[in-house]
Coordinates of all heavy atoms in Angstrom, one line a residue:
A1 N 39.3 199.7 144.6 CA 38.6 199.3 143.4 C 38.8 200.3 142.4 O 38.9 201.5 142.6 CB 37.1 199.2 143.7
V2 N 38.9 199.9 141.1 CA 39.0 200.8 140.0 C 37.7 201.0 139.3 O 37.0 200.0 139.0 CB 40.0 200.1 138.9 CG1 40.3 201.0 137.8 CG2 41.2 199.6 139.6
P3 N 37.3 202.3 139.1 CA 36.0 202.5 138.4 C 36.1 202.0 137.0 O 37.1 202.1 136.3 CB 35.9 204.1 138.4 CG 36.9 204.5 139.4 CD 38.0 203.5 139.5
C4 N 35.0 201.3 136.6 CA 34.9 200.7 135.3 C 35.4 201.7 134.1 O 36.1 201.3 133.2 CB 33.5 200.3 135.0 SG 33.4 198.5 134.9
R5 N 34.9 202.9 134.2 CA 35.2 203.9 133.1 C 36.7 204.1 133.0 O 37.1 204.7 131.9 CB 34.4 205.2 133.4 CG 34.9 205.9 134.6 CD 34.1 207.2 134.9 NE 34.6 207.8 136.1 CZ 34.1 207.5 137.3 NH1 33.2 206.5 137.4 NH2 34.5 208.1 138.4
D6 N 37.5 203.8 134.0 CA 39.0 204.0 133.9 C 39.7 202.9 133.3 O 40.9 202.9 133.0 CB 39.5 204.3 135.3 CG 39.0 205.6 135.9 OD1 38.5 206.4 135.1 OD2 39.2 205.8 137.1
V7 N 39.0 201.7 133.1 CA 39.7 200.5 132.6 C 39.7 200.5 131.0 O 38.7 200.5 130.4 CB 39.0 199.2 133.1 CG1 39.6 198.0 132.5 CG2 39.0 199.2 134.6
A8 N 40.9 200.5 130.5 CA 41.1 200.5 129.0 C 40.9 199.1 128.5 O 40.3 198.9 127.4 CB 42.5 201.0 128.7
Y9 N 41.4 198.1 129.2 CA 41.2 196.7 128.8 C 41.5 195.8 130.0 O 42.1 196.2 131.0 CB 42.1 196.3 127.6 CG 43.5 196.6 127.7 CD1 44.4 195.6 128.2 CD2 44.1 197.8 127.3 CE1 45.7 195.8 128.3 CE2 45.5 198.0 127.3 CZ 46.3 197.0 127.9 OH 47.6 197.2 127.9
L10 N 41.0 194.6 129.8 CA 41.2 193.5 130.8 C 41.9 192.4 130.0 O 41.6 192.1 128.9 CB 39.9 193.0 131.3 CG 39.1 194.0 132.1 CD1 37.6 193.9 131.9 CD2 39.4 193.9 133.6
T11 N 42.9 191.9 130.7 CA 43.7 190.8 130.0 C 44.0 189.7 130.9 O 44.3 189.9 132.1 CB 45.0 191.4 129.3 OG1 45.7 190.4 128.7 CG2 45.9 192.1 130.4
F12 N 44.1 188.5 130.4 CA 44.5 187.3 131.2 C 45.9 187.1 130.8 O 46.2 186.8 129.6 CB 43.6 186.1 130.9 CG 44.0 185.0 131.8 CD1 43.5 184.9 133.1 CD2 44.7 183.9 131.3 CE1 43.9 183.8 133.9 CE2 45.1 182.9 132.1 CZ 44.6 182.8 133.4
D13 N 46.8 187.1 131.8 CA 48.2 187.0 131.5 C 49.0 186.4 132.7 O 48.7 186.9 133.8 CB 48.8 188.4 131.1 CG 50.3 188.3 130.7 OD1 50.7 187.4 130.0 OD2 51.0 189.2 131.1
G14 N 49.8 185.4 132.5 CA 50.6 184.9 133.6 C 49.7 184.3 134.6 O 50.1 184.3 135.8
G15 N 48.6 183.7 134.3 CA 47.7 183.0 135.2 C 46.8 183.9 136.0 O 46.2 183.4 137.0
A16 N 46.8 185.2 135.7 CA 45.9 186.1 136.4 C 45.2 187.1 135.5 O 45.7 187.4 134.4 CB 46.7 186.9 137.5
T17 N 44.1 187.6 135.9 CA 43.4 188.6 135.1 C 43.8 190.0 135.6 O 43.9 190.3 136.8 CB 41.8 188.5 135.3 OG1 41.5 187.2 134.9 CG2 41.1 189.5 134.4
H18 N 44.2 190.9 134.7 CA 44.6 192.2 135.0 C 43.7 193.2 134.4 O 43.3 193.1 133.2 CB 46.0 192.5 134.4 CG 47.1 191.5 134.9 ND1 47.9 191.8 136.0 CD2 47.4 190.3 134.5 CE1 48.7 190.8 136.2 NE2 48.4 189.8 135.3
A19 N 43.4 194.3 135.2 CA 42.7 195.4 134.7 C 43.7 196.5 134.4 O 44.5 196.8 135.3 CB 41.7 196.0 135.7
V20 N 43.8 197.0 133.2 CA 44.8 198.0 132.8 C 44.0 199.3 132.6 O 43.1 199.4 131.7 CB 45.6 197.6 131.6 CG1 46.6 198.7 131.2 CG2 46.2 196.3 131.8
T21 N 44.4 200.4 133.3 CA 43.7 201.7 133.2 C 44.2 202.5 132.0 O 45.3 202.2 131.5 CB 43.8 202.5 134.5 OG1 45.2 202.9 134.6 CG2 43.3 201.7 135.7
F22 N 43.5 203.5 131.6 CA 44.0 204.4 130.6 C 45.3 205.1 131.0 O 46.0 205.6 130.2 CB 42.9 205.5 130.2 CG 41.7 204.9 129.5 CD1 40.5 204.6 130.1 CD2 41.9 204.6 128.1 CE1 39.5 204.0 129.3 CE2 40.9 204.0 127.4 CZ 39.6 203.7 128.0
Q23 N 45.6 205.2 132.3 CA 46.8 205.7 132.8 C 47.9 204.7 132.9 O 49.0 205.0 133.5 CB 46.6 206.4 134.2 CG 45.7 207.6 134.2 CD 44.2 207.2 134.0 OE1 43.7 206.2 134.5 NE2 43.5 208.0 133.3
D24 N 47.6 203.5 132.3 CA 48.6 202.4 132.3 C 48.9 201.9 133.7 O 50.1 201.4 133.9 CB 49.9 202.8 131.5 CG 50.6 201.5 131.0 OD1 50.0 200.4 131.0 OD2 51.7 201.6 130.5
Q25 N 48.0 201.9 134.6 CA 48.1 201.2 135.9 C 47.5 199.9 135.8 O 46.5 199.7 135.1 CB 47.5 202.0 137.0 CG 48.1 203.4 137.2 CD 47.2 204.3 138.1 OE1 46.1 204.5 137.8 NE2 47.8 204.7 139.2
R26 N 48.2 198.9 136.4 CA 47.7 197.5 136.3 C 47.3 197.0 137.6 O 48.0 197.2 138.6 CB 48.8 196.6 135.7 CG 49.2 196.9 134.3 CD 50.4 196.1 133.8 NE 50.5 196.4 132.4 CZ 50.0 195.7 131.4 NH1 49.4 194.6 131.7 NH2 50.2 196.1 130.1
Y27 N 46.1 196.3 137.7 CA 45.6 195.8 138.9 C 45.2 194.3 138.6 O 44.6 194.0 137.6 CB 44.3 196.5 139.3 CG 44.6 198.0 139.6 CD1 44.5 198.9 138.6 CD2 45.0 198.4 140.8 CE1 44.7 200.3 138.8 CE2 45.2 199.8 141.1 CZ 45.1 200.7 140.1 OH 45.3 202.0 140.3
V28 N 45.6 193.4 139.5 CA 45.2 192.0 139.5 C 43.8 192.0 140.0 O 43.5 192.5 141.1 CB 46.1 191.1 140.3 CG1 45.6 189.7 140.3 CG2 47.5 191.2 139.7
I29 N 42.9 191.3 139.3 CA 41.5 191.1 139.8 C 41.2 189.6 139.8 O 41.8 188.8 139.2 CB 40.5 191.9 138.9 CG1 40.7 191.6 137.5 CG2 40.7 193.4 139.2 CD1 39.7 192.3 136.6
D30 N 40.2 189.3 140.7 CA 39.9 187.9 141.0 C 39.0 187.3 139.9 O 39.0 186.1 139.8 CB 39.1 187.8 142.3 CG 40.1 188.1 143.5 OD1 41.3 187.9 143.3 OD2 39.6 188.6 144.5
N31 N 38.3 188.0 139.1 CA 37.4 187.5 138.2 C 38.1 187.0 136.9 O 39.1 187.5 136.5 CB 36.3 188.5 137.8 CG 35.6 189.1 138.9 OD1 36.2 189.7 139.8 ND2 34.3 188.8 139.0
S32 N 37.4 186.0 136.3 CA 38.0 185.5 135.0 C 37.4 186.4 133.9 O 36.5 187.1 134.1 CB 37.5 184.1 134.7 OG 36.1 184.1 134.5
I33 N 38.1 186.3 132.7 CA 37.6 187.1 131.6 C 36.2 186.7 131.2 O 35.4 187.6 130.9 CB 38.6 186.9 130.4 CG1 40.0 187.5 130.6 CG2 38.0 187.4 129.0 CD1 40.0 189.0 130.6
A34 N 35.9 185.4 131.2 CA 34.6 185.0 130.9 C 33.5 185.5 131.8 O 32.5 186.0 131.4 CB 34.5 183.4 130.9
S35 N 33.8 185.6 133.1 CA 32.8 186.1 134.0 C 32.6 187.6 133.9 O 31.6 188.2 134.0 CB 33.1 185.7 135.5 OG 34.2 186.4 136.0
L36 N 33.8 188.3 133.7 CA 33.7 189.8 133.5 C 33.0 190.2 132.2 O 32.3 191.1 132.2 CB 35.1 190.3 133.4 CG 35.9 190.3 134.7 CD1 37.4 190.5 134.5 CD2 35.3 191.3 135.7
S37 N 33.1 189.3 131.2 CA 32.4 189.6 129.9 C 30.9 189.8 130.1 O 30.3 190.7 129.5 CB 32.7 188.5 128.9 OG 32.2 188.8 127.7
G38 N 30.3 189.0 131.0 CA 28.9 189.1 131.2 C 28.5 190.3 132.1 O 27.3 190.6 132.2
Q39 N 29.5 190.9 132.8 CA 29.2 191.9 133.8 C 29.4 193.4 133.3 O 28.9 194.3 133.8 CB 30.1 191.8 135.0 CG 29.8 190.5 135.8 CD 30.8 190.3 136.9 OE1 31.2 191.3 137.6 NE2 31.3 189.1 137.1
L40 N 30.2 193.5 132.2 CA 30.5 194.8 131.7 C 29.5 195.4 130.7 O 28.8 194.6 130.0 CB 31.9 194.8 131.1 CG 33.0 194.4 132.0 CD1 34.3 194.1 131.2 CD2 33.3 195.6 133.0
D41 N 29.5 196.7 130.6 CA 28.6 197.4 129.6 C 29.0 197.1 128.2 O 30.1 197.4 127.8 CB 28.7 198.9 129.9 CG 27.8 199.7 129.0 OD1 27.2 199.1 128.0 OD2 27.6 200.9 129.2
T42 N 28.2 196.3 127.5 CA 28.5 195.9 126.1 C 28.5 197.1 125.1 O 28.9 196.9 124.0 CB 27.6 194.8 125.6 OG1 26.3 195.2 125.7 CG2 27.8 193.5 126.4
E43 N 28.1 198.2 125.5 CA 28.1 199.4 124.6 C 29.6 199.9 124.5 O 30.0 200.4 123.5 CB 27.3 200.6 125.2 CG 25.8 200.4 125.2 CD 25.3 200.4 123.7 OE1 25.6 201.4 123.0 OE2 24.6 199.5 123.3
I44 N 30.4 199.7 125.6 CA 31.8 200.2 125.5 C 32.8 199.1 125.7 O 34.0 199.4 125.4 CB 32.0 201.3 126.6 CG1 31.6 200.8 128.0 CG2 31.2 202.6 126.3 CD1 32.0 201.8 129.1
Y45 N 32.5 197.9 126.1 CA 33.4 196.8 126.2 C 33.1 195.7 125.3 O 31.9 195.4 125.1 CB 33.5 196.3 127.6 CG 34.2 197.2 128.6 CD1 33.4 198.1 129.4 CD2 35.6 197.3 128.7 CE1 34.1 199.0 130.3 CE2 36.2 198.2 129.5 CZ 35.4 199.0 130.3 OH 36.1 199.9 131.2
F46 N 34.1 195.1 124.7 CA 33.9 193.9 123.8 C 35.0 192.9 124.1 O 36.2 193.2 124.2 CB 34.0 194.4 122.4 CG 33.6 193.3 121.4 CD1 32.2 193.1 121.0 CD2 34.5 192.4 120.9 CE1 31.8 192.2 120.1 CE2 34.1 191.4 120.0 CZ 32.8 191.3 119.6
Q47 N 34.6 191.6 124.2 CA 35.6 190.6 124.4 C 36.1 190.1 123.0 O 35.3 189.5 122.3 CB 35.0 189.4 125.2 CG 36.1 188.3 125.4 CD 35.6 187.2 126.3 OE1 34.5 187.2 126.8 NE2 36.4 186.1 126.4
I48 N 37.3 190.4 122.7 CA 37.8 190.1 121.3 C 38.4 188.7 121.2 O 38.5 188.2 120.1 CB 38.8 191.2 120.8 CG1 40.0 191.2 121.8 CG2 38.1 192.5 120.7 CD1 41.2 192.0 121.2
N49 N 38.8 188.1 122.3 CA 39.3 186.8 122.3 C 39.3 186.2 123.7 O 38.7 186.9 124.6 CB 40.7 186.7 121.7 CG 41.7 187.6 122.4 OD1 41.7 187.7 123.6 ND2 42.7 188.2 121.7
R50 N 39.9 185.1 123.9 CA 39.8 184.5 125.3 C 40.6 185.3 126.3 O 40.3 185.1 127.5 CB 40.4 183.0 125.2 CG 39.5 182.0 124.5 CD 39.9 180.6 124.8 NE 41.3 180.4 125.0 CZ 42.2 179.9 124.1 NH1 41.8 179.6 122.9 NH2 43.5 179.8 124.4
K51 N 41.5 186.1 125.9 CA 42.4 186.8 126.8 C 42.2 188.3 126.9 O 42.8 188.9 127.8 CB 43.9 186.6 126.4 CG 44.3 185.2 126.6 CD 45.8 185.1 126.4 CE 46.3 183.7 126.8 NZ 47.8 183.8 127.0
F52 N 41.3 188.9 126.1 CA 41.2 190.3 126.1 C 39.7 190.8 126.1 O 39.0 190.3 125.2 CB 41.9 191.0 125.0 CG 43.4 191.2 125.2 CD1 44.3 190.3 124.8 CD2 43.8 192.4 125.7 CE1 45.6 190.5 125.0 CE2 45.1 192.7 125.9 CZ 46.1 191.7 125.5
I53 N 39.4 191.7 126.9 CA 38.1 192.5 126.8 C 38.6 194.0 126.7 O 39.4 194.4 127.5 CB 37.3 192.4 128.1 CG1 36.8 190.9 128.2 CG2 36.0 193.3 127.9 CD1 36.0 190.7 129.5
I54 N 38.2 194.7 125.6 CA 38.7 196.0 125.4 C 37.6 197.1 125.5 O 36.5 196.8 125.2 CB 39.5 196.1 124.1 CG1 38.6 195.8 122.9 CG2 40.7 195.2 124.1 CD1 39.2 196.0 121.5
H55 N 38.0 198.3 125.9 CA 37.1 199.5 125.9 C 37.2 200.1 124.6 O 38.3 200.2 124.0 CB 37.6 200.4 127.0 CG 36.7 201.6 127.3 ND1 36.5 202.6 126.4 CD2 36.0 201.9 128.4 CE1 35.6 203.4 126.9 NE2 35.4 203.1 128.2
V56 N 36.1 200.6 124.0 CA 36.1 201.2 122.7 C 37.1 202.3 122.6 O 37.8 202.5 121.6 CB 34.7 201.6 122.3 CG1 34.2 202.7 123.1 CG2 34.6 201.9 120.8
D57 N 37.3 203.1 123.7 CA 38.2 204.2 123.6 C 39.7 203.9 123.7 O 40.5 204.7 123.5 CB 37.9 205.2 124.7 CG 36.5 205.9 124.6 OD1 36.0 205.9 123.4 OD2 36.0 206.4 125.6
S58 N 40.0 202.6 124.0 CA 41.4 202.2 124.0 C 41.9 201.8 122.6 O 43.1 201.6 122.4 CB 41.6 201.0 124.9 OG 41.0 199.8 124.4
I59 N 41.0 201.7 121.6 CA 41.4 201.3 120.3 C 42.1 202.4 119.5 O 41.5 203.5 119.3 CB 40.2 200.8 119.5 CG1 39.5 199.6 120.2 CG2 40.6 200.4 118.1 CD1 38.2 199.2 119.6
Q60 N 43.3 202.2 119.2 CA 44.1 203.2 118.4 C 44.1 202.9 116.9 O 44.3 203.8 116.1 CB 45.5 203.4 119.0 CG 45.5 203.8 120.4 CD 44.9 205.2 120.6 OE1 45.3 206.2 120.0 NE2 43.8 205.2 121.4
G61 N 44.0 201.7 116.6 CA 44.1 201.3 115.2 C 43.7 199.9 115.0 O 43.7 199.1 116.0
I62 N 43.2 199.5 113.8 CA 42.8 198.1 113.5 C 43.4 197.8 112.2 O 43.3 198.6 111.2 CB 41.3 198.0 113.5 CG1 40.7 198.4 114.8 CG2 40.8 196.6 113.1 CD1 39.2 198.5 114.8
H63 N 44.0 196.6 112.1 CA 44.7 196.2 110.9 C 44.2 194.7 110.5 O 43.9 194.0 111.4 CB 46.2 196.2 111.0 CG 46.7 197.4 111.6 ND1 46.9 198.6 110.8 CD2 47.0 197.8 112.9 CE1 47.4 199.5 111.6 NE2 47.4 199.1 112.9
Y64 N 44.2 194.5 109.2 CA 43.9 193.1 108.8 C 45.0 192.2 109.2 O 46.2 192.6 109.1 CB 43.6 193.0 107.3 CG 42.2 193.6 107.0 CD1 42.1 194.9 106.5 CD2 41.1 192.9 107.2 CE1 40.8 195.4 106.2 CE2 39.8 193.4 107.0 CZ 39.7 194.7 106.5 OH 38.5 195.2 106.3
W65 N 44.7 191.0 109.6 CA 45.7 190.1 110.1 C 45.5 188.7 109.4 O 44.6 188.6 108.6 CB 45.6 189.9 111.6 CG 46.7 189.3 112.3 CD1 46.7 188.2 113.0 CD2 48.0 189.9 112.5 NE1 48.0 188.0 113.6 CE2 48.8 189.0 113.3 CE3 48.6 191.1 112.0 CZ2 50.1 189.3 113.6 CZ3 49.9 191.3 112.4 CH2 50.7 190.4 113.2
F66 N 46.3 187.8 109.6 CA 46.2 186.5 108.9 C 44.9 185.8 109.2 O 44.3 186.0 110.3 CB 47.4 185.5 109.4 CG 48.7 186.1 109.2 CD1 49.4 186.6 110.2 CD2 49.3 186.2 107.9 CE1 50.7 187.2 110.1 CE2 50.5 186.8 107.7 CZ 51.2 187.3 108.8
N67 N 44.5 184.9 108.3 CA 43.3 184.0 108.5 C 42.0 184.8 108.9 O 41.3 184.4 109.8 CB 43.6 183.0 109.6 CG 44.7 182.0 109.2 OD1 44.8 181.7 108.0 ND2 45.5 181.6 110.1
S68 N 41.8 185.9 108.2 CA 40.6 186.7 108.3 C 40.4 187.3 109.7 O 39.3 187.6 110.2 CB 39.3 185.9 108.0 OG 39.5 185.3 106.8
R69 N 41.5 187.4 110.5 CA 41.5 188.0 111.8 C 41.9 189.5 111.7 O 42.3 190.0 110.7 CB 42.4 187.3 112.7 CG 41.9 185.8 113.0 CD 42.8 185.1 113.9 NE 44.1 185.0 113.3 CZ 45.2 184.4 113.9 NH1 45.1 183.9 115.1 NH2 46.4 184.4 113.3
L70 N 41.7 190.2 112.8 CA 42.1 191.6 112.9 C 43.1 191.8 114.0 O 43.0 191.1 115.1 CB 40.8 192.5 113.2 CG 39.8 192.5 112.1 CD1 38.5 193.2 112.6 CD2 40.2 193.1 110.8
K71 N 44.0 192.7 113.9 CA 45.0 193.1 114.9 C 44.6 194.4 115.4 O 44.4 195.4 114.6 CB 46.4 193.1 114.4 CG 47.4 193.4 115.4 CD 48.8 193.3 114.8 CE 49.9 193.7 115.9 NZ 51.2 193.6 115.3
V72 N 44.5 194.6 116.7 CA 44.0 195.8 117.3 C 45.2 196.5 118.0 O 45.9 195.8 118.8 CB 42.9 195.6 118.3 CG1 42.4 196.9 118.9 CG2 41.7 194.9 117.6
E73 N 45.4 197.8 117.8 CA 46.4 198.6 118.5 C 45.7 199.2 119.7 O 44.7 199.9 119.5 CB 47.0 199.6 117.7 CG 48.0 199.2 116.6 CD 48.5 200.3 115.8 OE1 48.8 201.4 116.3 OE2 48.5 200.2 114.6
L74 N 46.2 199.0 120.9 CA 45.6 199.6 122.1 C 46.4 200.7 122.7 O 47.6 200.7 122.6 CB 45.3 198.5 123.1 CG 44.4 197.3 122.7 CD1 44.4 196.3 123.9 CD2 43.0 197.8 122.4
S75 N 45.8 201.6 123.4 CA 46.5 202.6 124.2 C 45.8 202.5 125.6 O 44.6 202.7 125.7 CB 46.3 204.0 123.6 OG 46.9 204.9 124.4
P76 N 46.6 202.3 126.6 CA 48.1 202.0 126.6 C 48.4 200.7 125.9 O 47.6 199.8 125.9 CB 48.5 202.0 128.0 CG 47.3 201.7 128.8 CD 46.1 202.2 128.0
S77 N 49.6 200.6 125.4 CA 50.0 199.4 124.7 C 49.9 198.1 125.6 O 50.3 198.2 126.8 CB 51.4 199.5 124.1 OG 51.9 198.3 123.6
A78 N 49.5 197.0 125.0 CA 49.4 195.8 125.7 C 50.7 195.1 125.8 O 50.9 194.1 126.5 CB 48.3 194.9 125.1
G79 N 51.7 195.5 124.9 CA 53.0 194.9 124.9 C 53.0 193.5 124.2 O 54.0 192.8 124.3
T80 N 51.9 193.2 123.5 CA 51.8 192.0 122.8 C 50.8 192.2 121.6 O 50.1 193.2 121.6 CB 51.3 190.8 123.7 OG1 51.3 189.6 123.0 CG2 49.9 191.1 124.3
S81 N 50.8 191.3 120.7 CA 49.9 191.4 119.6 C 48.5 191.1 120.1 O 48.3 190.1 120.8 CB 50.2 190.4 118.5 OG 51.4 190.7 117.9
V82 N 47.5 192.0 119.9 CA 46.2 191.8 120.3 C 45.3 191.5 119.1 O 45.1 192.4 118.2 CB 45.7 193.1 121.0 CG1 44.2 192.9 121.5 CG2 46.6 193.4 122.2
I83 N 44.9 190.2 119.0 CA 44.2 189.7 117.8 C 42.8 189.4 118.1 O 42.4 188.8 119.1 CB 44.9 188.5 117.3 CG1 46.4 188.7 117.2 CG2 44.3 188.0 116.0 CD1 46.8 189.7 116.2
V84 N 41.9 189.9 117.2 CA 40.5 189.5 117.3 C 40.3 188.1 116.8 O 40.7 187.9 115.6 CB 39.5 190.5 116.6 CG1 38.1 190.1 116.7 CG2 39.8 191.9 117.0
S85 N 39.8 187.2 117.6 CA 39.7 185.8 117.1 C 38.7 185.8 115.9 O 37.8 186.6 115.8 CB 39.2 184.9 118.2 OG 37.8 185.2 118.6
R86 N 39.0 184.8 115.0 CA 38.2 184.7 113.7 C 36.7 184.7 114.0 O 35.9 185.3 113.3 CB 38.7 183.5 113.0 CG 38.4 183.5 111.5 CD 39.0 182.4 110.8 NE 39.6 181.4 111.7 CZ 40.5 180.6 111.4 NH1 41.0 180.6 110.2 NH2 41.0 179.8 112.3
E87 N 36.3 183.9 115.1 CA 34.9 183.8 115.4 C 34.2 185.1 115.8 O 33.0 185.2 115.8 CB 34.7 182.8 116.5 CG 35.4 181.4 116.5 CD 36.9 181.6 116.9 OE1 37.2 182.0 118.0 OE2 37.7 181.2 116.0
R88 N 35.0 186.0 116.3 CA 34.5 187.3 116.8 C 34.6 188.5 115.9 O 34.1 189.6 116.2 CB 35.1 187.6 118.2 CG 34.8 186.5 119.2 CD 35.4 186.7 120.5 NE 35.5 185.4 121.2 CZ 35.1 185.3 122.5 NH1 34.7 186.3 123.2 NH2 35.2 184.1 123.1
V89 N 35.3 188.3 114.7 CA 35.5 189.4 113.8 C 34.2 190.1 113.4 O 34.1 191.3 113.5 CB 36.4 189.0 112.6 CG1 36.4 190.1 111.5 CG2 37.8 188.7 113.1
K90 N 33.3 189.3 113.0 CA 32.0 189.8 112.4 C 31.3 190.6 113.5 O 30.9 191.8 113.3 CB 31.1 188.7 111.9 CG 29.8 189.2 111.3 CD 29.0 188.0 110.7 CE 27.8 188.5 110.0 NZ 26.7 188.8 111.0
A91 N 31.2 190.1 114.7 CA 30.5 190.7 115.9 C 31.3 192.0 116.3 O 30.6 193.0 116.6 CB 30.3 189.8 117.0
F92 N 32.6 191.9 116.2 CA 33.4 193.1 116.6 C 33.2 194.2 115.6 O 33.0 195.4 116.0 CB 34.9 192.7 116.6 CG 35.9 193.7 116.9 CD1 35.8 194.4 118.1 CD2 36.8 194.2 116.0 CE1 36.8 195.4 118.5 CE2 37.7 195.2 116.3 CZ 37.7 195.8 117.5
K93 N 33.1 193.9 114.3 CA 32.9 195.0 113.3 C 31.5 195.6 113.5 O 31.3 196.8 113.4 CB 33.0 194.4 111.9 CG 34.4 194.1 111.5 CD 34.4 193.5 110.0 CE 35.8 193.3 109.5 NZ 35.8 192.6 108.2
E94 N 30.5 194.7 113.8 CA 29.1 195.2 114.1 C 29.1 196.1 115.3 O 28.5 197.1 115.3 CB 28.2 194.1 114.2 CG 27.9 193.3 112.9 CD 27.2 192.0 113.1 OE1 26.9 191.6 114.2 OE2 26.9 191.4 112.0
W95 N 29.9 195.7 116.3 CA 30.0 196.5 117.6 C 30.5 197.9 117.3 O 30.1 198.9 117.8 CB 30.8 195.7 118.6 CG 31.0 196.4 119.9 CD1 30.1 196.6 120.9 CD2 32.3 196.9 120.4 NE1 30.7 197.2 122.0 CE2 32.1 197.4 121.7 CE3 33.6 197.0 119.8 CZ2 33.1 198.0 122.4 CZ3 34.6 197.6 120.5 CH2 34.3 198.1 121.8
L96 N 31.6 197.9 116.5 CA 32.3 199.2 116.1 C 31.3 200.1 115.3 O 31.4 201.3 115.4 CB 33.5 198.9 115.4 CG 34.7 198.4 116.2 CD1 35.8 198.0 115.2 CD2 35.2 199.3 117.2
D97 N 30.5 199.5 114.4 CA 29.7 200.3 113.5 C 28.4 200.8 114.1 O 27.7 201.6 113.5 CB 29.4 199.4 112.3 CG 30.6 199.2 111.4 OD1 31.5 200.0 111.5 OD2 30.5 198.3 110.6
R98 N 28.0 200.4 115.3 CA 26.7 200.8 115.8 C 26.7 202.2 116.2 O 27.6 202.9 116.4 CB 26.3 199.8 116.9 CG 27.1 200.0 118.2 CD 27.0 198.9 119.1 NE 28.2 198.8 119.9 CZ 28.8 199.8 120.6 NH1 28.2 201.0 120.6 NH2 29.9 199.6 121.3

């Protein structure tokens, strides 16, 4: 088992949920993103879209993106564009500002 504090982000990719640590180790986990979203500490984790839950310390940069969305740079890199869904942008900004 991976301690929660070591998980930089959770992502759904290729039909499975993966926990990615700050050391860039990947683990397949049985839970869905939706079920994990309700179990994690909302002080440090935020579900930015259907495929990603991110740890506040994994955020390296945030950029404006098309259609009022935001693009987040993560460390370690997710290897894909990580976009905050339009519906979650306001809540995401509030989460970052608290």
Side-chain angles (χ1 to χ4, degrees):
V2 184
C4 247
R5 67 182 175 276
D6 294 344
V7 176
Y9 54 89
L10 296 143
T11 181
F12 184 79
D13 182 40
T17 303
H18 300 265
V20 180
T21 67
F22 286 103
Q23 294 74 38
D24 203 13
Q25 295 171 301
R26 293 175 177 265
Y27 300 91
V28 175
I29 51 178
D30 291 334
N31 305 63
S32 69
I33 291 291
S35 72
L36 289 165
S37 186
Q39 297 174 38
L40 295 167
D41 182 352
T42 57
E43 289 292 307
I44 55 174
Y45 287 99
F46 190 89
Q47 183 176 353
I48 60 166
N49 61 33
R50 289 194 329 259
K51 291 188 168 198
F52 276 92
I53 298 174
I54 62 175
H55 189 294
V56 66
D57 293 341
S58 70
I59 300 169
Q60 296 301 300
I62 300 171
H63 310 281
Y64 286 101
W65 199 244
F66 305 104
N67 296 326
S68 306
R69 294 178 299 175
L70 297 171
K71 181 177 180 180
V72 181
E73 286 177 43
L74 298 176
S75 177
S77 172
T80 184
S81 294
V82 180
I83 309 297
V84 180
S85 66
R86 202 173 6 205
E87 312 78 60
R88 298 178 198 226
V89 166
K90 182 174 183 285
F92 180 64
K93 287 179 177 176
E94 290 168 356
W95 177 73
L96 288 173
D97 287 343
R98 68 197 154 54

